[in-house]
Amino acid sequence: MEQIILILVIAIFVLAVTTLVKAVRIVPQQRMDVVERLGKYKRTLSPGLNLLVPFVDAVRTKVDMREQVVSFPPQPVITSDNLVVSIDTVLYFKVVDPVRATYEISHFLQAIEQLTVTTLRNVIGSLDLERALTSREEINRHLSGVLDETTGRWGIKVTRVEIKAIEPPPSIRDSMEKQMRAERDRRAAILNAEGHKQAQILTAEGEKQAAVLRADGDRQARILQAEGQAKAIRTVFDAIHQANPSQKVLAYQYLQSLPQIANGTANKVWILPTELTKALEGLGGALGGLANMVGDEPRPDMDVSAVEREAAAAAEAAAAEARRVDDAVREAEAEASGQPGLPAPGTIPPAAVLGGPQRIEKR
């Protein structure tokens, strides 16, 4: 009898503990529990301590309310240019209504995956490979809009859809790499040509500016040199006329200029004919007469016009004497060429023709 009573006490204790466990439900944060009473939806348990009717109420599902990330396996998709590409997608979603997520669809995650695959095939099928590779943002927006509209009635909010990778076939990847390499080589060649062109243009501009500056500097130097020479000649001319040089000074200056006349790279022998000495005597006489007219003493004050007239007269006298000497030389050559037994005019020494000239050799 006592054993029966002990068994009953133990059974009552176990029943009481089980009833207490079933009556008390602690729900963690960011989770919602859907409760059914006798197979019918009763209520949704919020986070915290909740009490249930034991053996009557039961928790149907435990729904995680946090945002979830799901990565779908690669899916083969055919583009509009009949190329098969493999696309990986990543989906971000969260449950906003646990009741509809429980009763509106049986497996909402599988449904989202299949919906993503079909929508992705529809979108990629209308694009070629190149546009599909460069239009990821457009594809993401289209997928997100379609999924959000469809999963809204399931109590699910699709926050973001991202295409993780688009893998074309290996042959297409090789062709794309070759095309990209050729394009980069072309751009590099264009950049090198542009750089060489700019360098040549800048070099030509620099040489042009340098040539202009050198020419301008040379012109300025020549102008300054000419102005200096003009001032020097003017100063010497004024000094000579103000000093009023005598005939002796002029004769001395003329004798000093004779070595400069004979100095030359092609002159080996310089011949002074006797007629030239006569011309010098006439020139000396003219200069002497000029000296007798103007005086042998320098004058500080002078008439510039008178000096110019005197210089012109002296120049005319010298020119006339030079013409006379030239005529005498020509007559002597004509007489020598007309006599028999004489050598040809090209072989006659100038000294023999002119009759006893003075010979001066350059050392």
Side-chain angles (χ1 to χ4, degrees):
M1 189 66 182
E2 293 179 356
Q3 293 179 353
I4 296 174
I5 294 173
L6 181 59
I7 292 173
L8 290 175
V9 171
I10 293 173
I12 294 172
F13 178 76
V14 171
L15 181 61
V17 171
T18 304
T19 303
L20 182 62
V21 170
K22 289 184 174 293
V24 177
R25 176 70 63 176
I26 299 176
V27 180
Q29 186 66 32
Q30 291 296 327
R31 199 185 78 181
M32 303 288 284
D33 292 352
V34 177
V35 177
E36 292 180 350
R37 176 172 293 178
L38 300 178
K40 183 180 180 181
Y41 169 75
K42 177 60 179 177
R43 63 192 180 101
T44 303
L45 301 181
S46 60
L49 180 62
N50 296 274
L51 298 177
L52 300 177
V53 176
F55 305 105
V56 177
D57 295 339
V59 176
R60 169 68 182 272
T61 56
K62 300 176 181 179
V63 181
D64 191 351
M65 304 299 294
R66 295 174 297 179
E67 186 173 1
Q68 302 180 35
V69 181
V70 179
S71 178
F72 298 133
Q75 299 293 330
V77 180
I78 301 176
T79 61
S80 61
D81 48 356
N82 298 324
L83 292 176
V84 179
V85 295
S86 179
I87 300 179
D88 297 345
T89 55
V90 179
L91 180 66
Y92 297 82
F93 72 94
K94 64 184 300 185
V95 179
V96 294
D97 191 347
V99 177
R100 286 191 294 174
T102 303
Y103 295 102
E104 292 293 336
I105 190 168
S106 60
H107 301 283
F108 64 85
L109 187 58
Q110 183 180 1
I112 292 174
E113 179 180 359
Q114 296 301 321
L115 181 62
T116 302
V117 172
T118 55
T119 306
L120 187 62
R121 288 179 177 175
N122 292 332
V123 174
I124 298 298
S126 61
L127 302 176
D128 56 4
L129 178 60
E130 184 175 358
R131 189 178 175 187
L133 293 174
T134 58
S135 303
R136 293 193 178 190
E137 291 295 332
E138 181 181 354
I139 298 172
N140 292 337
R141 287 194 301 269
H142 188 77
L143 286 175
S144 180
V146 173
L147 292 176
D148 189 30
E149 181 182 0
T150 305
T151 59
R153 63 176 180 268
W154 300 341
I156 298 172
K157 172 67 176 178
V158 176
T159 58
R160 190 176 183 86
V161 180
E162 292 289 341
I163 295 179
K164 186 167 60 175
I166 299 178
E167 295 294 336
S171 59
I172 300 300
R173 286 200 301 269
D174 295 339
S175 301
M176 292 172 63
E177 289 178 359
K178 292 179 181 178
Q179 181 181 2
M180 180 180 61
R181 190 179 301 110
E183 181 67 20
R184 289 182 178 178
D185 293 340
R186 183 183 67 84
R187 292 179 181 178
I190 292 175
L191 291 177
N192 290 332
E194 289 290 338
H196 186 62
K197 175 184 176 182
Q198 293 295 330
Q200 288 185 343
I201 291 175
L202 294 177
T203 303
E205 289 291 337
E207 292 178 353
K208 175 183 176 182
Q209 294 180 3
V212 170
L213 292 177
R214 283 194 297 268
D216 186 67
D218 188 25
R219 182 179 65 86
Q220 294 293 336
R222 290 178 180 270
I223 291 175
L224 293 177
Q225 185 178 4
E227 291 178 355
Q229 291 179 357
K231 290 182 180 179
I233 294 172
R234 190 181 302 112
T235 303
V236 172
F237 183 79
D238 293 340
I240 291 174
H241 284 282
Q242 289 180 4
N244 192 14
S246 63
Q247 188 267 343
K248 296 178 181 180
V249 175
L250 294 177
Y252 178 73
Q253 292 293 331
Y254 182 77
L255 291 176
Q256 282 186 339
S257 65
L258 289 179
Q260 297 179 0
I261 296 174
N263 187 15
T265 57
N267 296 331
K268 300 300 182 181
V269 177
W270 190 44
I271 300 174
L272 295 177
T274 56
E275 288 79 2
L276 182 58
T277 58
K278 294 180 181 180
L280 293 176
E281 291 177 358
L283 182 58
L287 294 175
L290 181 61
N292 292 329
M293 285 192 299
V294 301
D296 198 20
E297 297 295 333
R299 293 183 301 176
D301 299 330
M302 59 178 296
D303 188 3
V304 177
S305 60
V307 171
E308 292 178 354
R309 288 194 297 273
E310 294 173 1
E316 291 178 358
E321 187 66 23
R323 286 196 296 272
R324 187 182 66 80
V325 172
D326 188 32
D327 293 338
V329 172
R330 290 182 180 178
E331 291 177 359
E333 290 179 352
E335 293 176 358
S337 62
Q339 294 179 2
L342 295 176
T347 60
I348 298 176
V353 175
L354 297 179
Q358 298 177 2
R359 182 181 182 90
I360 301 173
E361 294 185 0
K362 289 183 60 177
R363 299 293 183 183

